């Protein structure tokens, strides 16, 4: 007898459906931007990029990456109007490059989204532990704080997606308020005057340009997630594309503007040195010098909720990949179970939560007694998994660009040459270059001193997941042809 809340029998796509017509353009934009975590990027991503690259031109890197993503979004938006599937990347690659490639992409996407979501538990636990200690004088281990975040994410993950969108809308709005306030404060302080020094060529056309792009791309991860919610959008043929264009534009311009403004506030000549000294704490040190302590504490709390918002967004994305792959029976069909009450991909959500719990426990055990002390999760769990995810995302974007080009070019009369060929080709080339740059700079990205086996192992796991997917696709083709034949129908109809 079936559970009254779950639909677990999923041999055909129509028998397992997500909540329909619940998300409009504004909700999609909030879901997308929440994954990109504006406050986390300014406080953590931008300062880290300034520190590691040793260059002032970080804002230019965000603009260049934004341009590449706009070219990608042109074809991606068109594909979202043609194909509505919760496994966006793998559905598009299946349409463009074939079923086996699509299955390979699904494995790569699943590992990528789970890596990003789980890696964030490390920095969330550390930040929460620090805030609890500073505000209440309570010593709480990072893993206990991470488990609290895990519980909140897990509970929201099995509820209606529009509830998630409402929670994220509030958090994202508050993030924007804080970042705008920091930017305005920076212009009012401006110890060296309001200058465009950060945009001068000598600060970004350097040997560190590759590292700048490699670090910057992680800030955009999540921009593509609108298509994952296409089955739940009110008008999927139009709203997903519109939300993606809006989100990419906002993210690129806002990141570039806020990073530039912050450099003005700290002082262009001091920005790199101060970032290297303070790291992600620089924004709070800056605020502490110019505003009352209560404002700094509020910003710290919102920094924490910013990370939480990103975890919720990536949890939802990973859950929908589990759902899509389970529905297509590429993975066990139980993963295609949805809640009849909320329409949430409840089995996929629970699977993601179990993975998160396992990693929190493993890193908590391995970090016990470590010489790194409280910094253990932010020097291991966070950079290892999130940089792996960044690399995986670039590979996904590159492969998907090629697939978009192939699929749209089959109907040249319907799709203009710029949309079907020029834009995706530029995007694919850009992402291929960034993938190489990440490989070359991976030791810097995980802050390895000298040679580290992780420089090979972590990217190897990401590439290996895609290869494992290709092998599984070949296995299905040879041994379960009925499943293999149904994948195309289950993904693209």
């Amino acid at each position: 007898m079936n559970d009254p809340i779950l639909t677990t029998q999923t041999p055909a796509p129509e028998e397992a459906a997500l909540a329909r017509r619940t998300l409009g353009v504004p909700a999609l934009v909030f879901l997308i931007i929440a994954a990109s975590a504006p406050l986390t990027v300014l406080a953590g991503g931008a300062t880290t990029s300034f520190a590691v690259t040793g260059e002032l031109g970080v804002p230019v890197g965000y603009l260049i990456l934004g341009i590449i993503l706009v070219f990608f979004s042109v074809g991606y938006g068109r594909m979202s109007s043609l194909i509505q599937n919760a496994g966006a990347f793998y559905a598009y690659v299946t349409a463009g490059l074939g079923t086996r490639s699509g299955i390979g992409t699904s494995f790569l996407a699943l590992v990528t989204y789970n890596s990003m979501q789980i890696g964030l538990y490390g920095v969330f636990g550390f930040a929460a532990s620090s805030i609890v200690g500073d505000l209440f004088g309570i010593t709480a281990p990072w893993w206990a704080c991470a488990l609290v975040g895990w519980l909140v994410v897990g509970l929201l993950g099995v509820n209606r997606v529009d509830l998630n969108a409402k929670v994220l809308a509030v958090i994202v709005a508050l993030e924007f308020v804080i970042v705008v306030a920091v930017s305005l404060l920076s212009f009012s302080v401006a110890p060296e005057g309001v200058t465009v020094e950060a945009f001068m060529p000598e600060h970004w056309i350097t040997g560190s340009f590759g590292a700048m792009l490699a670090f910057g791309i992680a800030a955009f991860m999540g921009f593509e997630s609108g298509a994952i919610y296409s089955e739940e959008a009110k008008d999927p043929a139009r709203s997903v594309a519109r939300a993606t264009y809006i989100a990419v534009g906002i993210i690129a311009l806002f990141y570039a503007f806020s990073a530039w403004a912050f450099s003005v506030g700290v002082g262009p000549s001091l920005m790199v040195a101060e970032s290297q000294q303070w790291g992600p704490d620089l924004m709070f040190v800056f605020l502490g010098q110019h505003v009352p302590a209560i404002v700094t504490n509020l910003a710290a709390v919102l920094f924490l909720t910013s990370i939480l918002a990103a975890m919720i967004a990536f949890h939802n994305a990973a859950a929908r990949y589990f759902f899509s792959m389970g529905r297509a029976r590429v993975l066990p069909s139980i993963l295609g179970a949805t809640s009849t009450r909320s329409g949430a991909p409840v089995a996929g959500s629970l699977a993601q939560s179990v993975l998160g719990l396992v990693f929190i426990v493993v890193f908590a055990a391995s970090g016990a007694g470590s010489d790194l002390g409280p910094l253990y999760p932010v020097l291991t769990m966070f950079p290892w998994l999130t940089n792996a995810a960044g690399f995986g995302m670039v590979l996904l974007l590159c492969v998907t660009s090629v697939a978009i080009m192939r699929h749209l070019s089959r109907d040249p009369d319907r799709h203009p040459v710029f949309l079907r060929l020029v834009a995706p080709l530029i995007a694919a080339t850009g992402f291929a270059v960034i993938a190489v740059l990440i490989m070359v700079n991976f030791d810097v990205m995980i802050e390895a001193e000298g040679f580290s086996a992780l420089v090979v192992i972590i990217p190897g796991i990401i590439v290996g997941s895609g290869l494992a997917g290709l092998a599984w696709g070949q296995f299905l083709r040879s041994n379960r042809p009925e499943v293999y034949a149904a994948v195309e129908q289950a993904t693209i109809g």
Side-chain angles (χ1 to χ4, degrees), residues 349-382:
S349 178
L350 292 174
Q352 205 288 317
S353 292
V354 169
L355 280 176
L357 179 61
V358 168
F359 273 83
I360 291 172
V361 171
V362 168
F363 275 89
S366 63
S370 170
D371 293 338
L372 297 176
L375 290 173
Y376 182 81
V378 293
L379 295 177
T380 57
M381 185 178 187
F382 174 62

PDB file of all heavy atoms in Angstrom, residues 349-382:
ATOM      1  N   SER A 349      15.051  14.947  -2.009  1.00  0.00           N
ATOM      2  CA  SER A 349      15.433  15.835  -0.919  1.00  0.00           C
ATOM      3  C   SER A 349      16.021  15.039   0.239  1.00  0.00           C
ATOM      4  O   SER A 349      17.053  15.427   0.812  1.00  0.00           O
ATOM      5  CB  SER A 349      14.209  16.630  -0.443  1.00  0.00           C
ATOM      6  OG  SER A 349      14.545  17.471   0.642  1.00  0.00           O
ATOM      7  N   LEU A 350      15.394  13.932   0.588  1.00  0.00           N
ATOM      8  CA  LEU A 350      15.903  13.105   1.674  1.00  0.00           C
ATOM      9  C   LEU A 350      17.253  12.496   1.317  1.00  0.00           C
ATOM     10  O   LEU A 350      18.141  12.388   2.175  1.00  0.00           O
ATOM     11  CB  LEU A 350      14.889  12.006   2.006  1.00  0.00           C
ATOM     12  CG  LEU A 350      13.574  12.483   2.638  1.00  0.00           C
ATOM     13  CD1 LEU A 350      12.598  11.321   2.787  1.00  0.00           C
ATOM     14  CD2 LEU A 350      13.836  13.140   3.994  1.00  0.00           C
ATOM     15  N   ALA A 351      17.427  12.102   0.056  1.00  0.00           N
ATOM     16  CA  ALA A 351      18.711  11.549  -0.377  1.00  0.00           C
ATOM     17  C   ALA A 351      19.820  12.583  -0.225  1.00  0.00           C
ATOM     18  O   ALA A 351      20.927  12.282   0.248  1.00  0.00           O
ATOM     19  CB  ALA A 351      18.615  11.076  -1.825  1.00  0.00           C
ATOM     20  N   GLN A 352      19.516  13.835  -0.611  1.00  0.00           N
ATOM     21  CA  GLN A 352      20.513  14.887  -0.479  1.00  0.00           C
ATOM     22  C   GLN A 352      20.823  15.154   0.993  1.00  0.00           C
ATOM     23  O   GLN A 352      21.982  15.356   1.374  1.00  0.00           O
ATOM     24  CB  GLN A 352      20.008  16.169  -1.154  1.00  0.00           C
ATOM     25  CG  GLN A 352      21.110  17.119  -1.626  1.00  0.00           C
ATOM     26  CD  GLN A 352      21.815  17.812  -0.500  1.00  0.00           C
ATOM     27  OE1 GLN A 352      21.187  18.274   0.438  1.00  0.00           O
ATOM     28  NE2 GLN A 352      23.143  17.903  -0.592  1.00  0.00           N
ATOM     29  N   SER A 353      19.807  15.122   1.831  1.00  0.00           N
ATOM     30  CA  SER A 353      20.007  15.349   3.263  1.00  0.00           C
ATOM     31  C   SER A 353      20.871  14.254   3.880  1.00  0.00           C
ATOM     32  O   SER A 353      21.730  14.531   4.725  1.00  0.00           O
ATOM     33  CB  SER A 353      18.655  15.418   3.984  1.00  0.00           C
ATOM     34  OG  SER A 353      17.933  16.572   3.604  1.00  0.00           O
ATOM     35  N   VAL A 354      20.653  13.023   3.469  1.00  0.00           N
ATOM     36  CA  VAL A 354      21.464  11.914   3.988  1.00  0.00           C
ATOM     37  C   VAL A 354      22.927  12.104   3.602  1.00  0.00           C
ATOM     38  O   VAL A 354      23.840  11.916   4.426  1.00  0.00           O
ATOM     39  CB  VAL A 354      20.934  10.561   3.472  1.00  0.00           C
ATOM     40  CG1 VAL A 354      21.925   9.436   3.781  1.00  0.00           C
ATOM     41  CG2 VAL A 354      19.581  10.247   4.093  1.00  0.00           C
ATOM     42  N   LEU A 355      23.176  12.484   2.354  1.00  0.00           N
ATOM     43  CA  LEU A 355      24.550  12.740   1.924  1.00  0.00           C
ATOM     44  C   LEU A 355      25.185  13.852   2.751  1.00  0.00           C
ATOM     45  O   LEU A 355      26.339  13.746   3.184  1.00  0.00           O
ATOM     46  CB  LEU A 355      24.573  13.120   0.443  1.00  0.00           C
ATOM     47  CG  LEU A 355      24.499  11.995  -0.576  1.00  0.00           C
ATOM     48  CD1 LEU A 355      24.444  12.577  -1.991  1.00  0.00           C
ATOM     49  CD2 LEU A 355      25.705  11.069  -0.446  1.00  0.00           C
ATOM     50  N   GLY A 356      24.435  14.929   2.960  1.00  0.00           N
ATOM     51  CA  GLY A 356      24.955  16.034   3.757  1.00  0.00           C
ATOM     52  C   GLY A 356      25.316  15.587   5.160  1.00  0.00           C
ATOM     53  O   GLY A 356      26.373  15.948   5.687  1.00  0.00           O
ATOM     54  N   LEU A 357      24.451  14.786   5.780  1.00  0.00           N
ATOM     55  CA  LEU A 357      24.697  14.299   7.132  1.00  0.00           C
ATOM     56  C   LEU A 357      25.956  13.435   7.179  1.00  0.00           C
ATOM     57  O   LEU A 357      26.779  13.578   8.098  1.00  0.00           O
ATOM     58  CB  LEU A 357      23.492  13.498   7.609  1.00  0.00           C
ATOM     59  CG  LEU A 357      23.596  12.885   9.010  1.00  0.00           C
ATOM     60  CD1 LEU A 357      23.771  13.975  10.065  1.00  0.00           C
ATOM     61  CD2 LEU A 357      22.362  12.034   9.315  1.00  0.00           C
ATOM     62  N   VAL A 358      26.116  12.574   6.202  1.00  0.00           N
ATOM     63  CA  VAL A 358      27.291  11.702   6.158  1.00  0.00           C
ATOM     64  C   VAL A 358      28.576  12.535   6.100  1.00  0.00           C
ATOM     65  O   VAL A 358      29.538  12.277   6.848  1.00  0.00           O
ATOM     66  CB  VAL A 358      27.218  10.748   4.955  1.00  0.00           C
ATOM     67  CG1 VAL A 358      28.564  10.044   4.741  1.00  0.00           C
ATOM     68  CG2 VAL A 358      26.108   9.719   5.158  1.00  0.00           C
ATOM     69  N   PHE A 359      28.604  13.546   5.246  1.00  0.00           N
ATOM     70  CA  PHE A 359      29.814  14.353   5.104  1.00  0.00           C
ATOM     71  C   PHE A 359      30.088  15.183   6.353  1.00  0.00           C
ATOM     72  O   PHE A 359      31.252  15.363   6.744  1.00  0.00           O
ATOM     73  CB  PHE A 359      29.712  15.253   3.872  1.00  0.00           C
ATOM     74  CG  PHE A 359      30.180  14.596   2.611  1.00  0.00           C
ATOM     75  CD1 PHE A 359      29.336  13.765   1.891  1.00  0.00           C
ATOM     76  CD2 PHE A 359      31.470  14.806   2.140  1.00  0.00           C
ATOM     77  CE1 PHE A 359      29.760  13.152   0.730  1.00  0.00           C
ATOM     78  CE2 PHE A 359      31.909  14.191   0.987  1.00  0.00           C
ATOM     79  CZ  PHE A 359      31.057  13.358   0.269  1.00  0.00           C
ATOM     80  N   ILE A 360      29.040  15.706   6.981  1.00  0.00           N
ATOM     81  CA  ILE A 360      29.248  16.462   8.224  1.00  0.00           C
ATOM     82  C   ILE A 360      29.873  15.562   9.282  1.00  0.00           C
ATOM     83  O   ILE A 360      30.829  15.943   9.974  1.00  0.00           O
ATOM     84  CB  ILE A 360      27.916  17.052   8.735  1.00  0.00           C
ATOM     85  CG1 ILE A 360      27.428  18.162   7.796  1.00  0.00           C
ATOM     86  CG2 ILE A 360      28.091  17.624  10.142  1.00  0.00           C
ATOM     87  CD1 ILE A 360      26.020  18.665   8.120  1.00  0.00           C
ATOM     88  N   VAL A 361      29.369  14.341   9.409  1.00  0.00           N
ATOM     89  CA  VAL A 361      29.894  13.397  10.394  1.00  0.00           C
ATOM     90  C   VAL A 361      31.339  13.028  10.071  1.00  0.00           C
ATOM     91  O   VAL A 361      32.207  12.998  10.966  1.00  0.00           O
ATOM     92  CB  VAL A 361      29.008  12.131  10.450  1.00  0.00           C
ATOM     93  CG1 VAL A 361      29.666  11.049  11.297  1.00  0.00           C
ATOM     94  CG2 VAL A 361      27.630  12.466  11.008  1.00  0.00           C
ATOM     95  N   VAL A 362      31.620  12.761   8.800  1.00  0.00           N
ATOM     96  CA  VAL A 362      32.980  12.366   8.400  1.00  0.00           C
ATOM     97  C   VAL A 362      33.981  13.482   8.688  1.00  0.00           C
ATOM     98  O   VAL A 362      35.059  13.248   9.261  1.00  0.00           O
ATOM     99  CB  VAL A 362      33.013  11.981   6.907  1.00  0.00           C
ATOM    100  CG1 VAL A 362      34.463  11.865   6.415  1.00  0.00           C
ATOM    101  CG2 VAL A 362      32.277  10.667   6.688  1.00  0.00           C
ATOM    102  N   PHE A 363      33.643  14.708   8.303  1.00  0.00           N
ATOM    103  CA  PHE A 363      34.574  15.814   8.527  1.00  0.00           C
ATOM    104  C   PHE A 363      34.662  16.173  10.009  1.00  0.00           C
ATOM    105  O   PHE A 363      35.717  16.615  10.478  1.00  0.00           O
ATOM    106  CB  PHE A 363      34.178  17.028   7.690  1.00  0.00           C
ATOM    107  CG  PHE A 363      34.723  16.984   6.294  1.00  0.00           C
ATOM    108  CD1 PHE A 363      34.014  16.376   5.271  1.00  0.00           C
ATOM    109  CD2 PHE A 363      35.968  17.540   5.998  1.00  0.00           C
ATOM    110  CE1 PHE A 363      34.520  16.322   3.981  1.00  0.00           C
ATOM    111  CE2 PHE A 363      36.485  17.486   4.720  1.00  0.00           C
ATOM    112  CZ  PHE A 363      35.766  16.881   3.700  1.00  0.00           C
ATOM    113  N   ALA A 364      33.599  16.003  10.755  1.00  0.00           N
ATOM    114  CA  ALA A 364      33.646  16.244  12.199  1.00  0.00           C
ATOM    115  C   ALA A 364      34.603  15.251  12.861  1.00  0.00           C
ATOM    116  O   ALA A 364      35.410  15.620  13.727  1.00  0.00           O
ATOM    117  CB  ALA A 364      32.257  16.126  12.804  1.00  0.00           C
ATOM    118  N   ALA A 365      34.519  13.988  12.441  1.00  0.00           N
ATOM    119  CA  ALA A 365      35.394  12.960  13.012  1.00  0.00           C
ATOM    120  C   ALA A 365      36.849  13.179  12.597  1.00  0.00           C
ATOM    121  O   ALA A 365      37.767  13.078  13.423  1.00  0.00           O
ATOM    122  CB  ALA A 365      34.920  11.573  12.565  1.00  0.00           C
ATOM    123  N   SER A 366      37.069  13.490  11.326  1.00  0.00           N
ATOM    124  CA  SER A 366      38.448  13.667  10.846  1.00  0.00           C
ATOM    125  C   SER A 366      39.088  14.928  11.400  1.00  0.00           C
ATOM    126  O   SER A 366      40.311  15.023  11.517  1.00  0.00           O
ATOM    127  CB  SER A 366      38.468  13.706   9.314  1.00  0.00           C
ATOM    128  OG  SER A 366      37.737  14.824   8.824  1.00  0.00           O
ATOM    129  N   GLY A 367      38.267  15.918  11.757  1.00  0.00           N
ATOM    130  CA  GLY A 367      38.806  17.176  12.272  1.00  0.00           C
ATOM    131  C   GLY A 367      39.010  17.186  13.769  1.00  0.00           C
ATOM    132  O   GLY A 367      39.575  18.149  14.308  1.00  0.00           O
ATOM    133  N   ALA A 368      38.551  16.146  14.458  1.00  0.00           N
ATOM    134  CA  ALA A 368      38.697  16.095  15.914  1.00  0.00           C
ATOM    135  C   ALA A 368      40.177  16.065  16.289  1.00  0.00           C
ATOM    136  O   ALA A 368      40.926  15.189  15.859  1.00  0.00           O
ATOM    137  CB  ALA A 368      37.978  14.870  16.463  1.00  0.00           C
ATOM    138  N   GLY A 369      40.619  17.042  17.050  1.00  0.00           N
ATOM    139  CA  GLY A 369      42.014  17.101  17.467  1.00  0.00           C
ATOM    140  C   GLY A 369      42.958  17.624  16.409  1.00  0.00           C
ATOM    141  O   GLY A 369      44.184  17.577  16.594  1.00  0.00           O
ATOM    142  N   SER A 370      42.433  18.136  15.293  1.00  0.00           N
ATOM    143  CA  SER A 370      43.285  18.654  14.223  1.00  0.00           C
ATOM    144  C   SER A 370      44.039  19.901  14.675  1.00  0.00           C
ATOM    145  O   SER A 370      43.544  20.710  15.468  1.00  0.00           O
ATOM    146  CB  SER A 370      42.437  18.991  12.987  1.00  0.00           C
ATOM    147  OG  SER A 370      43.200  19.703  12.032  1.00  0.00           O
ATOM    148  N   ASP A 371      45.260  20.060  14.142  1.00  0.00           N
ATOM    149  CA  ASP A 371      46.058  21.248  14.437  1.00  0.00           C
ATOM    150  C   ASP A 371      45.403  22.517  13.894  1.00  0.00           C
ATOM    151  O   ASP A 371      45.735  23.621  14.327  1.00  0.00           O
ATOM    152  CB  ASP A 371      47.465  21.102  13.838  1.00  0.00           C
ATOM    153  CG  ASP A 371      48.266  20.000  14.508  1.00  0.00           C
ATOM    154  OD1 ASP A 371      47.932  19.651  15.654  1.00  0.00           O
ATOM    155  OD2 ASP A 371      49.209  19.479  13.876  1.00  0.00           O
ATOM    156  N   LEU A 372      44.492  22.353  12.937  1.00  0.00           N
ATOM    157  CA  LEU A 372      43.822  23.517  12.347  1.00  0.00           C
ATOM    158  C   LEU A 372      42.778  24.113  13.291  1.00  0.00           C
ATOM    159  O   LEU A 372      42.333  25.249  13.080  1.00  0.00           O
ATOM    160  CB  LEU A 372      43.150  23.126  11.030  1.00  0.00           C
ATOM    161  CG  LEU A 372      44.093  22.652   9.917  1.00  0.00           C
ATOM    162  CD1 LEU A 372      43.293  22.214   8.701  1.00  0.00           C
ATOM    163  CD2 LEU A 372      45.076  23.741   9.539  1.00  0.00           C
ATOM    164  N   GLY A 373      42.392  23.355  14.302  1.00  0.00           N
ATOM    165  CA  GLY A 373      41.446  23.867  15.281  1.00  0.00           C
ATOM    166  C   GLY A 373      40.104  24.220  14.667  1.00  0.00           C
ATOM    167  O   GLY A 373      39.596  23.520  13.780  1.00  0.00           O
ATOM    168  N   PRO A 374      39.513  25.358  15.078  1.00  0.00           N
ATOM    169  CA  PRO A 374      38.187  25.762  14.567  1.00  0.00           C
ATOM    170  C   PRO A 374      38.177  26.029  13.063  1.00  0.00           C
ATOM    171  O   PRO A 374      37.109  26.019  12.449  1.00  0.00           O
ATOM    172  CB  PRO A 374      37.884  27.046  15.353  1.00  0.00           C
ATOM    173  CG  PRO A 374      38.748  26.978  16.563  1.00  0.00           C
ATOM    174  CD  PRO A 374      39.994  26.277  16.126  1.00  0.00           C
ATOM    175  N   LEU A 375      39.357  26.300  12.493  1.00  0.00           N
ATOM    176  CA  LEU A 375      39.428  26.601  11.057  1.00  0.00           C
ATOM    177  C   LEU A 375      39.340  25.350  10.187  1.00  0.00           C
ATOM    178  O   LEU A 375      39.288  25.467   8.964  1.00  0.00           O
ATOM    179  CB  LEU A 375      40.729  27.349  10.740  1.00  0.00           C
ATOM    180  CG  LEU A 375      40.835  28.789  11.255  1.00  0.00           C
ATOM    181  CD1 LEU A 375      42.243  29.324  11.011  1.00  0.00           C
ATOM    182  CD2 LEU A 375      39.805  29.675  10.564  1.00  0.00           C
ATOM    183  N   TYR A 376      39.330  24.181  10.808  1.00  0.00           N
ATOM    184  CA  TYR A 376      39.361  22.943  10.031  1.00  0.00           C
ATOM    185  C   TYR A 376      38.311  22.885   8.921  1.00  0.00           C
ATOM    186  O   TYR A 376      38.651  22.601   7.759  1.00  0.00           O
ATOM    187  CB  TYR A 376      39.209  21.733  10.958  1.00  0.00           C
ATOM    188  CG  TYR A 376      39.277  20.419  10.230  1.00  0.00           C
ATOM    189  CD1 TYR A 376      40.503  19.862   9.884  1.00  0.00           C
ATOM    190  CD2 TYR A 376      38.119  19.734   9.860  1.00  0.00           C
ATOM    191  CE1 TYR A 376      40.585  18.662   9.196  1.00  0.00           C
ATOM    192  CE2 TYR A 376      38.173  18.535   9.182  1.00  0.00           C
ATOM    193  CZ  TYR A 376      39.408  18.006   8.848  1.00  0.00           C
ATOM    194  OH  TYR A 376      39.471  16.823   8.155  1.00  0.00           O
ATOM    195  N   PRO A 377      37.017  23.157   9.191  1.00  0.00           N
ATOM    196  CA  PRO A 377      36.018  23.020   8.114  1.00  0.00           C
ATOM    197  C   PRO A 377      36.180  24.039   6.991  1.00  0.00           C
ATOM    198  O   PRO A 377      35.834  23.744   5.849  1.00  0.00           O
ATOM    199  CB  PRO A 377      34.690  23.205   8.847  1.00  0.00           C
ATOM    200  CG  PRO A 377      35.029  24.007  10.056  1.00  0.00           C
ATOM    201  CD  PRO A 377      36.390  23.530  10.467  1.00  0.00           C
ATOM    202  N   VAL A 378      36.698  25.260   7.297  1.00  0.00           N
ATOM    203  CA  VAL A 378      36.827  26.267   6.249  1.00  0.00           C
ATOM    204  C   VAL A 378      38.133  26.121   5.473  1.00  0.00           C
ATOM    205  O   VAL A 378      38.320  26.789   4.454  1.00  0.00           O
ATOM    206  CB  VAL A 378      36.717  27.704   6.803  1.00  0.00           C
ATOM    207  CG1 VAL A 378      35.319  27.965   7.305  1.00  0.00           C
ATOM    208  CG2 VAL A 378      37.738  27.955   7.904  1.00  0.00           C
ATOM    209  N   LEU A 379      39.021  25.254   5.939  1.00  0.00           N
ATOM    210  CA  LEU A 379      40.269  25.005   5.216  1.00  0.00           C
ATOM    211  C   LEU A 379      40.277  23.642   4.540  1.00  0.00           C
ATOM    212  O   LEU A 379      41.210  23.321   3.794  1.00  0.00           O
ATOM    213  CB  LEU A 379      41.471  25.116   6.168  1.00  0.00           C
ATOM    214  CG  LEU A 379      41.733  26.513   6.760  1.00  0.00           C
ATOM    215  CD1 LEU A 379      42.906  26.467   7.727  1.00  0.00           C
ATOM    216  CD2 LEU A 379      41.988  27.532   5.650  1.00  0.00           C
ATOM    217  N   THR A 380      39.245  22.858   4.783  1.00  0.00           N
ATOM    218  CA  THR A 380      39.178  21.519   4.167  1.00  0.00           C
ATOM    219  C   THR A 380      37.828  21.309   3.479  1.00  0.00           C
ATOM    220  O   THR A 380      37.727  21.389   2.264  1.00  0.00           O
ATOM    221  CB  THR A 380      39.405  20.418   5.226  1.00  0.00           C
ATOM    222  OG1 THR A 380      38.444  20.563   6.279  1.00  0.00           O
ATOM    223  CG2 THR A 380      40.809  20.507   5.807  1.00  0.00           C
ATOM    224  N   MET A 381      36.793  21.089   4.259  1.00  0.00           N
ATOM    225  CA  MET A 381      35.470  20.756   3.718  1.00  0.00           C
ATOM    226  C   MET A 381      34.971  21.810   2.735  1.00  0.00           C
ATOM    227  O   MET A 381      34.505  21.480   1.629  1.00  0.00           O
ATOM    228  CB  MET A 381      34.478  20.613   4.869  1.00  0.00           C
ATOM    229  CG  MET A 381      33.091  20.147   4.466  1.00  0.00           C
ATOM    230  SD  MET A 381      32.047  19.962   5.949  1.00  0.00           S
ATOM    231  CE  MET A 381      30.576  19.207   5.238  1.00  0.00           C
ATOM    232  N   PHE A 382      35.061  23.063   3.119  1.00  0.00           N
ATOM    233  CA  PHE A 382      34.535  24.137   2.273  1.00  0.00           C
ATOM    234  C   PHE A 382      35.311  24.299   0.963  1.00  0.00           C
ATOM    235  O   PHE A 382      34.717  24.200  -0.121  1.00  0.00           O
ATOM    236  CB  PHE A 382      34.498  25.438   3.060  1.00  0.00           C
ATOM    237  CG  PHE A 382      34.107  26.643   2.242  1.00  0.00           C
ATOM    238  CD1 PHE A 382      32.868  26.724   1.646  1.00  0.00           C
ATOM    239  CD2 PHE A 382      34.995  27.696   2.062  1.00  0.00           C
ATOM    240  CE1 PHE A 382      32.503  27.824   0.881  1.00  0.00           C
ATOM    241  CE2 PHE A 382      34.641  28.801   1.308  1.00  0.00           C
ATOM    242  CZ  PHE A 382      33.399  28.859   0.713  1.00  0.00           C
TER     243      PHE A 382
END
